[in-house]
Amino acid sequence: KYKEASVPLEKQRFLVNFENDSIDKAINQYLAKLSDDDKLKIIKNLLEKYIFAFNEKKVYVEYLGFSKDEITKVVNSVLKAEKILSVKEVEDKTQKDFRGCIITSEDLKIKCRATLEENIAEIKEQYTEDLALALFGGRLPEWKK
């Protein structure tokens, strides 16, 4: 009985993993085709959502995946230049899993990630079903409507 009960669960787990991996691959292929300017626009849009958190605060900027000049320009377009204490590339090897920037308040109480990966997570959270339908064209039984 245990084996009979676990087969549908394993099938569902496999299907969910397959869909998730396929969506990740499609998004990463799309991002790879974007210009750096378009990727920086995504970073800028994320930063604009966080501007309220840094009102009247000076910040540190850490970045990866772009040049210092590119990130500085984007951050300056959202925050005033006099608020930026430093802009430096991420040194911590464990943090090398993102493309974008992390903004930290001077008092270290507020930290916001404006990265392509954050954008991907946000898109997947809001639109997983739509992405799967578009990617698989309704060919998977669980997504038919």
Short mmCIF file of all heavy atoms in Angstrom, two decimals, residues 35-48 59-81 83-90 98-104 112-117:
data_model
loop_
_atom_site.label_atom_id
_atom_site.label_comp_id
_atom_site.label_asym_id
_atom_site.label_seq_id
_atom_site.Cartn_x
_atom_site.Cartn_y
_atom_site.Cartn_z
N SER A 35 20.29 43.07 -23.32
CA SER A 35 21.49 43.89 -23.25
C SER A 35 21.75 44.26 -21.79
O SER A 35 20.85 44.17 -20.94
CB SER A 35 21.30 45.16 -24.07
OG SER A 35 20.34 46.00 -23.45
N ASP A 36 22.97 44.68 -21.49
CA ASP A 36 23.28 45.13 -20.13
C ASP A 36 22.40 46.30 -19.73
O ASP A 36 22.00 46.41 -18.58
CB ASP A 36 24.76 45.49 -20.00
CG ASP A 36 25.66 44.27 -19.85
OD1 ASP A 36 25.12 43.16 -19.66
OD2 ASP A 36 26.89 44.43 -19.90
N ASP A 37 22.11 47.19 -20.69
CA ASP A 37 21.24 48.33 -20.39
C ASP A 37 19.85 47.87 -19.95
O ASP A 37 19.27 48.42 -19.01
CB ASP A 37 21.10 49.26 -21.60
CG ASP A 37 22.34 50.10 -21.83
OD1 ASP A 37 23.15 50.25 -20.89
OD2 ASP A 37 22.49 50.63 -22.96
N ASP A 38 19.31 46.85 -20.61
CA ASP A 38 18.00 46.33 -20.22
C ASP A 38 18.05 45.67 -18.85
O ASP A 38 17.13 45.80 -18.05
CB ASP A 38 17.47 45.35 -21.27
CG ASP A 38 17.05 46.04 -22.55
OD1 ASP A 38 16.70 47.24 -22.51
OD2 ASP A 38 17.06 45.38 -23.61
N LYS A 39 19.13 44.95 -18.57
CA LYS A 39 19.29 44.33 -17.26
C LYS A 39 19.41 45.40 -16.17
O LYS A 39 18.83 45.26 -15.09
CB LYS A 39 20.52 43.42 -17.24
CG LYS A 39 20.36 42.19 -18.10
CD LYS A 39 21.66 41.40 -18.16
CE LYS A 39 21.55 40.27 -19.16
NZ LYS A 39 22.82 39.59 -19.38
N LEU A 40 20.12 46.48 -16.48
CA LEU A 40 20.26 47.56 -15.51
C LEU A 40 18.92 48.27 -15.27
O LEU A 40 18.66 48.75 -14.16
CB LEU A 40 21.33 48.55 -15.96
CG LEU A 40 22.76 48.02 -15.83
CD1 LEU A 40 23.73 48.88 -16.63
CD2 LEU A 40 23.18 47.94 -14.37
N LYS A 41 18.06 48.30 -16.28
CA LYS A 41 16.71 48.87 -16.09
C LYS A 41 15.91 48.03 -15.10
O LYS A 41 15.14 48.58 -14.30
CB LYS A 41 15.97 48.97 -17.43
CG LYS A 41 16.48 50.07 -18.32
CD LYS A 41 15.77 50.08 -19.65
CE LYS A 41 16.42 51.07 -20.61
NZ LYS A 41 15.86 50.98 -21.97
N ILE A 42 16.09 46.72 -15.15
CA ILE A 42 15.42 45.85 -14.18
C ILE A 42 15.92 46.16 -12.77
O ILE A 42 15.13 46.28 -11.83
CB ILE A 42 15.67 44.36 -14.54
CG1 ILE A 42 14.98 44.01 -15.85
CG2 ILE A 42 15.20 43.44 -13.40
CD1 ILE A 42 15.36 42.65 -16.42
N ILE A 43 17.23 46.31 -12.62
CA ILE A 43 17.83 46.65 -11.32
C ILE A 43 17.28 48.00 -10.84
O ILE A 43 16.89 48.15 -9.68
CB ILE A 43 19.37 46.70 -11.41
CG1 ILE A 43 19.95 45.37 -11.92
CG2 ILE A 43 19.99 47.12 -10.09
CD1 ILE A 43 19.62 44.16 -11.11
N LYS A 44 17.21 48.96 -11.73
CA LYS A 44 16.69 50.29 -11.38
C LYS A 44 15.25 50.21 -10.90
O LYS A 44 14.88 50.83 -9.90
CB LYS A 44 16.81 51.25 -12.57
CG LYS A 44 16.32 52.64 -12.25
CD LYS A 44 16.44 53.57 -13.43
CE LYS A 44 15.89 54.93 -13.05
NZ LYS A 44 15.88 55.85 -14.18
N ASN A 45 14.42 49.44 -11.60
CA ASN A 45 13.01 49.29 -11.19
C ASN A 45 12.90 48.69 -9.79
O ASN A 45 12.03 49.10 -9.01
CB ASN A 45 12.25 48.43 -12.20
CG ASN A 45 11.98 49.16 -13.50
OD1 ASN A 45 12.02 50.38 -13.57
ND2 ASN A 45 11.74 48.40 -14.55
N LEU A 46 13.74 47.72 -9.49
CA LEU A 46 13.73 47.15 -8.13
C LEU A 46 14.17 48.19 -7.11
O LEU A 46 13.56 48.30 -6.04
CB LEU A 46 14.64 45.92 -8.06
CG LEU A 46 14.12 44.67 -8.75
CD1 LEU A 46 15.21 43.60 -8.81
CD2 LEU A 46 12.90 44.12 -8.04
N LEU A 47 15.21 48.93 -7.42
CA LEU A 47 15.69 49.97 -6.49
C LEU A 47 14.60 51.01 -6.20
O LEU A 47 14.47 51.47 -5.07
CB LEU A 47 16.92 50.67 -7.05
CG LEU A 47 18.24 49.93 -6.95
CD1 LEU A 47 19.34 50.68 -7.71
CD2 LEU A 47 18.65 49.74 -5.50
N GLU A 48 13.84 51.35 -7.21
CA GLU A 48 12.78 52.35 -7.03
C GLU A 48 11.72 51.87 -6.04
O GLU A 48 11.11 52.68 -5.35
CB GLU A 48 12.17 52.71 -8.38
CG GLU A 48 13.11 53.56 -9.21
CD GLU A 48 12.65 53.80 -10.63
OE1 GLU A 48 11.71 53.11 -11.10
OE2 GLU A 48 13.25 54.67 -11.29
N VAL A 59 23.96 55.20 2.47
CA VAL A 59 24.00 53.78 2.15
C VAL A 59 25.37 53.32 1.65
O VAL A 59 26.16 54.11 1.14
CB VAL A 59 22.95 53.42 1.08
CG1 VAL A 59 21.54 53.71 1.57
CG2 VAL A 59 23.22 54.13 -0.23
N TYR A 60 25.56 52.00 1.81
CA TYR A 60 26.69 51.30 1.20
C TYR A 60 26.11 50.47 0.05
O TYR A 60 25.03 49.92 0.18
CB TYR A 60 27.36 50.35 2.20
CG TYR A 60 27.93 51.03 3.42
CD1 TYR A 60 27.25 50.98 4.64
CD2 TYR A 60 29.14 51.71 3.35
CE1 TYR A 60 27.77 51.61 5.76
CE2 TYR A 60 29.67 52.34 4.47
CZ TYR A 60 28.98 52.27 5.68
OH TYR A 60 29.50 52.88 6.78
N VAL A 61 26.86 50.39 -1.03
CA VAL A 61 26.42 49.62 -2.18
C VAL A 61 27.45 48.54 -2.47
O VAL A 61 28.63 48.82 -2.59
CB VAL A 61 26.25 50.52 -3.43
CG1 VAL A 61 25.81 49.70 -4.63
CG2 VAL A 61 25.29 51.66 -3.16
N GLU A 62 26.97 47.30 -2.56
CA GLU A 62 27.81 46.18 -3.01
C GLU A 62 27.20 45.69 -4.31
O GLU A 62 25.97 45.66 -4.45
CB GLU A 62 27.81 45.05 -1.99
CG GLU A 62 28.48 45.40 -0.67
CD GLU A 62 28.45 44.22 0.28
OE1 GLU A 62 27.35 43.96 0.81
OE2 GLU A 62 29.49 43.58 0.44
N TYR A 63 28.03 45.29 -5.23
CA TYR A 63 27.51 44.88 -6.54
C TYR A 63 28.27 43.67 -7.06
O TYR A 63 29.37 43.35 -6.61
CB TYR A 63 27.61 46.03 -7.54
CG TYR A 63 29.02 46.37 -7.91
CD1 TYR A 63 29.63 45.80 -9.02
CD2 TYR A 63 29.78 47.24 -7.13
CE1 TYR A 63 30.94 46.08 -9.35
CE2 TYR A 63 31.08 47.53 -7.45
CZ TYR A 63 31.67 46.95 -8.56
OH TYR A 63 32.98 47.23 -8.87
N LEU A 64 27.66 43.04 -8.06
CA LEU A 64 28.29 41.93 -8.77
C LEU A 64 27.59 41.75 -10.10
O LEU A 64 26.38 41.98 -10.21
CB LEU A 64 28.18 40.64 -7.95
CG LEU A 64 29.07 39.49 -8.40
CD1 LEU A 64 30.54 39.84 -8.28
CD2 LEU A 64 28.78 38.26 -7.58
N GLY A 65 28.34 41.39 -11.11
CA GLY A 65 27.76 41.10 -12.42
C GLY A 65 27.70 42.29 -13.36
O GLY A 65 27.33 42.15 -14.52
N PHE A 66 28.04 43.45 -12.88
CA PHE A 66 28.08 44.67 -13.68
C PHE A 66 29.34 45.44 -13.29
O PHE A 66 29.99 45.11 -12.31
CB PHE A 66 26.84 45.55 -13.42
CG PHE A 66 25.55 44.89 -13.81
CD1 PHE A 66 24.78 44.23 -12.87
CD2 PHE A 66 25.11 44.92 -15.12
CE1 PHE A 66 23.59 43.61 -13.23
CE2 PHE A 66 23.92 44.31 -15.49
CZ PHE A 66 23.16 43.65 -14.54
N SER A 67 29.64 46.48 -14.02
CA SER A 67 30.81 47.29 -13.67
C SER A 67 30.43 48.27 -12.56
O SER A 67 29.25 48.58 -12.35
CB SER A 67 31.32 48.06 -14.88
OG SER A 67 30.45 49.14 -15.19
N LYS A 68 31.44 48.75 -11.87
CA LYS A 68 31.23 49.73 -10.80
C LYS A 68 30.55 50.98 -11.37
O LYS A 68 29.62 51.52 -10.75
CB LYS A 68 32.56 50.09 -10.15
CG LYS A 68 32.43 51.05 -9.00
CD LYS A 68 33.77 51.30 -8.32
CE LYS A 68 33.61 52.21 -7.13
NZ LYS A 68 34.88 52.36 -6.39
N ASP A 69 30.99 51.43 -12.53
CA ASP A 69 30.40 52.63 -13.14
C ASP A 69 28.92 52.43 -13.48
O ASP A 69 28.10 53.33 -13.26
CB ASP A 69 31.17 53.01 -14.41
CG ASP A 69 32.56 53.55 -14.11
OD1 ASP A 69 32.82 53.97 -12.95
OD2 ASP A 69 33.40 53.55 -15.03
N GLU A 70 28.58 51.25 -14.01
CA GLU A 70 27.19 50.98 -14.36
C GLU A 70 26.29 51.00 -13.12
O GLU A 70 25.23 51.63 -13.12
CB GLU A 70 27.06 49.61 -15.05
CG GLU A 70 27.64 49.56 -16.44
CD GLU A 70 27.69 48.15 -17.01
OE1 GLU A 70 27.95 47.19 -16.25
OE2 GLU A 70 27.46 48.02 -18.23
N ILE A 71 26.73 50.30 -12.07
CA ILE A 71 25.92 50.24 -10.84
C ILE A 71 25.85 51.61 -10.19
O ILE A 71 24.77 52.03 -9.73
CB ILE A 71 26.49 49.18 -9.87
CG1 ILE A 71 26.22 47.78 -10.41
CG2 ILE A 71 25.92 49.35 -8.47
CD1 ILE A 71 24.76 47.38 -10.51
N THR A 72 26.95 52.33 -10.15
CA THR A 72 26.96 53.67 -9.55
C THR A 72 25.97 54.57 -10.27
O THR A 72 25.21 55.31 -9.63
CB THR A 72 28.38 54.27 -9.58
OG1 THR A 72 29.26 53.41 -8.87
CG2 THR A 72 28.41 55.65 -8.94
N LYS A 73 25.95 54.51 -11.59
CA LYS A 73 25.03 55.34 -12.38
C LYS A 73 23.57 55.00 -12.06
O LYS A 73 22.74 55.89 -11.87
CB LYS A 73 25.32 55.15 -13.88
CG LYS A 73 24.49 56.00 -14.78
CD LYS A 73 24.86 55.78 -16.24
CE LYS A 73 23.97 56.59 -17.15
NZ LYS A 73 24.26 56.35 -18.56
N VAL A 74 23.27 53.72 -11.98
CA VAL A 74 21.89 53.30 -11.69
C VAL A 74 21.49 53.72 -10.28
O VAL A 74 20.40 54.26 -10.07
CB VAL A 74 21.74 51.77 -11.87
CG1 VAL A 74 20.41 51.29 -11.31
CG2 VAL A 74 21.84 51.40 -13.34
N VAL A 75 22.34 53.47 -9.30
CA VAL A 75 22.01 53.83 -7.91
C VAL A 75 21.87 55.34 -7.78
O VAL A 75 20.95 55.83 -7.12
CB VAL A 75 23.06 53.26 -6.93
CG1 VAL A 75 22.80 53.76 -5.51
CG2 VAL A 75 23.06 51.74 -6.96
N ASN A 76 22.76 56.09 -8.43
CA ASN A 76 22.66 57.56 -8.39
C ASN A 76 21.37 58.06 -9.03
O ASN A 76 20.85 59.10 -8.63
CB ASN A 76 23.86 58.20 -9.10
CG ASN A 76 25.04 58.35 -8.18
OD1 ASN A 76 24.89 58.45 -6.97
ND2 ASN A 76 26.22 58.36 -8.76
N SER A 77 20.87 57.34 -10.02
CA SER A 77 19.63 57.78 -10.67
C SER A 77 18.42 57.60 -9.76
O SER A 77 17.39 58.23 -9.97
CB SER A 77 19.42 57.03 -11.99
OG SER A 77 19.07 55.69 -11.76
N VAL A 78 18.56 56.75 -8.74
CA VAL A 78 17.46 56.50 -7.82
C VAL A 78 17.69 57.22 -6.49
O VAL A 78 16.81 57.89 -5.96
CB VAL A 78 17.26 54.99 -7.58
CG1 VAL A 78 16.15 54.73 -6.57
CG2 VAL A 78 16.95 54.28 -8.90
N LEU A 79 18.88 57.07 -5.94
CA LEU A 79 19.26 57.73 -4.70
C LEU A 79 20.17 58.91 -5.03
O LEU A 79 20.87 58.89 -6.02
CB LEU A 79 20.01 56.76 -3.78
CG LEU A 79 19.30 55.47 -3.40
CD1 LEU A 79 20.25 54.58 -2.62
CD2 LEU A 79 18.06 55.75 -2.58
N LYS A 80 20.19 59.89 -4.19
CA LYS A 80 21.09 61.02 -4.42
C LYS A 80 22.52 60.61 -4.13
O LYS A 80 22.80 59.87 -3.19
CB LYS A 80 20.69 62.20 -3.54
CG LYS A 80 19.34 62.76 -3.92
CD LYS A 80 18.97 63.91 -3.04
CE LYS A 80 17.59 64.41 -3.45
NZ LYS A 80 17.02 65.29 -2.45
N ALA A 81 23.44 61.12 -4.93
CA ALA A 81 24.85 60.74 -4.83
C ALA A 81 25.42 60.98 -3.44
O ALA A 81 26.25 60.20 -2.97
CB ALA A 81 25.68 61.49 -5.87
N LYS A 83 24.15 60.47 -0.72
CA LYS A 83 23.72 59.42 0.21
C LYS A 83 24.60 58.18 0.11
O LYS A 83 24.55 57.32 0.97
CB LYS A 83 22.27 59.02 -0.07
CG LYS A 83 21.26 60.05 0.34
CD LYS A 83 19.88 59.47 0.15
CE LYS A 83 18.83 60.41 0.67
NZ LYS A 83 17.51 59.82 0.61
N ILE A 84 25.38 58.05 -0.95
CA ILE A 84 26.17 56.84 -1.17
C ILE A 84 27.53 56.99 -0.51
O ILE A 84 28.33 57.85 -0.87
CB ILE A 84 26.33 56.56 -2.67
CG1 ILE A 84 24.94 56.37 -3.30
CG2 ILE A 84 27.20 55.34 -2.90
CD1 ILE A 84 24.95 56.32 -4.80
N LEU A 85 27.79 56.13 0.48
CA LEU A 85 29.06 56.16 1.20
C LEU A 85 30.16 55.42 0.45
O LEU A 85 31.30 55.85 0.44
CB LEU A 85 28.89 55.56 2.60
CG LEU A 85 27.93 56.32 3.51
CD1 LEU A 85 27.61 55.51 4.76
CD2 LEU A 85 28.52 57.66 3.89
N SER A 86 29.81 54.29 -0.15
CA SER A 86 30.79 53.53 -0.93
C SER A 86 30.08 52.60 -1.91
O SER A 86 28.94 52.21 -1.69
CB SER A 86 31.70 52.71 -0.01
OG SER A 86 30.99 51.64 0.58
N VAL A 87 30.81 52.28 -2.97
CA VAL A 87 30.34 51.31 -3.96
C VAL A 87 31.49 50.35 -4.18
O VAL A 87 32.57 50.76 -4.62
CB VAL A 87 29.97 52.00 -5.30
CG1 VAL A 87 29.51 50.97 -6.31
CG2 VAL A 87 28.92 53.07 -5.09
N LYS A 88 31.26 49.08 -3.83
CA LYS A 88 32.35 48.11 -4.00
C LYS A 88 31.81 46.77 -4.45
O LYS A 88 30.66 46.41 -4.18
CB LYS A 88 33.14 47.96 -2.71
CG LYS A 88 32.38 47.35 -1.56
CD LYS A 88 33.26 47.20 -0.34
CE LYS A 88 32.49 46.46 0.74
NZ LYS A 88 33.30 46.12 1.87
N GLU A 89 32.68 46.04 -5.15
CA GLU A 89 32.32 44.71 -5.63
C GLU A 89 32.27 43.75 -4.44
O GLU A 89 33.04 43.89 -3.49
CB GLU A 89 33.34 44.23 -6.66
CG GLU A 89 32.91 42.97 -7.37
CD GLU A 89 33.79 42.66 -8.57
OE1 GLU A 89 34.88 43.22 -8.69
OE2 GLU A 89 33.35 41.83 -9.38
N VAL A 90 31.36 42.80 -4.50
CA VAL A 90 31.21 41.82 -3.43
C VAL A 90 32.49 41.01 -3.30
O VAL A 90 33.02 40.51 -4.28
CB VAL A 90 30.01 40.88 -3.71
CG1 VAL A 90 29.96 39.75 -2.72
CG2 VAL A 90 28.72 41.66 -3.69
N PHE A 98 24.55 36.27 -7.37
CA PHE A 98 23.59 37.27 -7.83
C PHE A 98 24.22 38.20 -8.85
O PHE A 98 25.44 38.29 -8.97
CB PHE A 98 23.01 38.06 -6.65
CG PHE A 98 23.97 39.03 -6.01
CD1 PHE A 98 24.07 40.33 -6.47
CD2 PHE A 98 24.75 38.64 -4.95
CE1 PHE A 98 24.95 41.21 -5.87
CE2 PHE A 98 25.62 39.53 -4.34
CZ PHE A 98 25.72 40.82 -4.81
N ARG A 99 23.34 38.90 -9.58
CA ARG A 99 23.75 39.92 -10.54
C ARG A 99 22.93 41.16 -10.24
O ARG A 99 21.73 41.17 -10.45
CB ARG A 99 23.49 39.44 -11.96
CG ARG A 99 24.31 38.20 -12.34
CD ARG A 99 23.78 37.53 -13.57
NE ARG A 99 22.51 36.86 -13.22
CZ ARG A 99 21.73 36.27 -14.10
NH1 ARG A 99 22.01 36.29 -15.36
NH2 ARG A 99 20.62 35.68 -13.71
N GLY A 100 23.58 42.17 -9.70
CA GLY A 100 22.90 43.39 -9.33
C GLY A 100 23.60 44.04 -8.16
O GLY A 100 24.83 44.02 -8.10
N CYS A 101 22.81 44.55 -7.22
CA CYS A 101 23.43 45.21 -6.08
C CYS A 101 22.64 44.98 -4.79
O CYS A 101 21.47 44.62 -4.82
CB CYS A 101 23.61 46.70 -6.33
SG CYS A 101 22.08 47.62 -6.59
N ILE A 102 23.35 45.17 -3.71
CA ILE A 102 22.76 45.11 -2.38
C ILE A 102 23.02 46.47 -1.75
O ILE A 102 24.16 46.94 -1.71
CB ILE A 102 23.39 44.00 -1.52
CG1 ILE A 102 23.17 42.63 -2.15
CG2 ILE A 102 22.83 44.04 -0.09
CD1 ILE A 102 23.89 41.49 -1.46
N ILE A 103 21.95 47.10 -1.29
CA ILE A 103 22.04 48.41 -0.67
C ILE A 103 21.85 48.22 0.83
O ILE A 103 20.87 47.61 1.26
CB ILE A 103 20.94 49.37 -1.19
CG1 ILE A 103 20.89 49.38 -2.72
CG2 ILE A 103 21.10 50.76 -0.61
CD1 ILE A 103 22.07 49.97 -3.39
N THR A 104 22.79 48.75 1.63
CA THR A 104 22.72 48.62 3.08
C THR A 104 22.79 50.00 3.71
O THR A 104 23.62 50.82 3.32
CB THR A 104 23.90 47.77 3.60
OG1 THR A 104 23.94 46.53 2.89
CG2 THR A 104 23.77 47.49 5.09
N CYS A 112 18.65 45.80 1.30
CA CYS A 112 17.76 45.44 0.21
C CYS A 112 18.58 44.92 -0.97
O CYS A 112 19.60 45.49 -1.32
CB CYS A 112 16.94 46.64 -0.25
SG CYS A 112 15.75 47.20 0.97
N ARG A 113 18.08 43.85 -1.56
CA ARG A 113 18.72 43.25 -2.74
C ARG A 113 17.98 43.70 -3.98
O ARG A 113 16.78 43.48 -4.10
CB ARG A 113 18.69 41.73 -2.65
CG ARG A 113 19.54 41.16 -1.55
CD ARG A 113 19.32 39.67 -1.38
NE ARG A 113 19.50 38.91 -2.59
CZ ARG A 113 20.62 38.24 -2.91
NH1 ARG A 113 21.62 38.23 -2.07
NH2 ARG A 113 20.71 37.58 -4.04
N ALA A 114 18.70 44.32 -4.89
CA ALA A 114 18.15 44.68 -6.19
C ALA A 114 18.94 43.88 -7.22
O ALA A 114 19.93 44.34 -7.77
CB ALA A 114 18.28 46.18 -6.42
N THR A 115 18.50 42.66 -7.43
CA THR A 115 19.24 41.74 -8.29
C THR A 115 18.30 41.12 -9.32
O THR A 115 17.08 41.08 -9.13
CB THR A 115 19.89 40.61 -7.47
OG1 THR A 115 18.86 39.79 -6.91
CG2 THR A 115 20.77 41.15 -6.36
N LEU A 116 18.91 40.62 -10.38
CA LEU A 116 18.10 39.92 -11.39
C LEU A 116 17.43 38.70 -10.77
O LEU A 116 16.29 38.37 -11.11
CB LEU A 116 18.98 39.51 -12.57
CG LEU A 116 19.59 40.66 -13.37
CD1 LEU A 116 20.50 40.13 -14.47
CD2 LEU A 116 18.52 41.57 -13.96
N GLU A 117 18.12 38.06 -9.83
CA GLU A 117 17.56 36.88 -9.18
C GLU A 117 16.33 37.23 -8.34
O GLU A 117 15.37 36.45 -8.28
CB GLU A 117 18.63 36.19 -8.33
CG GLU A 117 19.70 35.49 -9.17
CD GLU A 117 20.63 36.44 -9.94
OE1 GLU A 117 20.76 37.62 -9.57
OE2 GLU A 117 21.21 36.00 -10.93
#
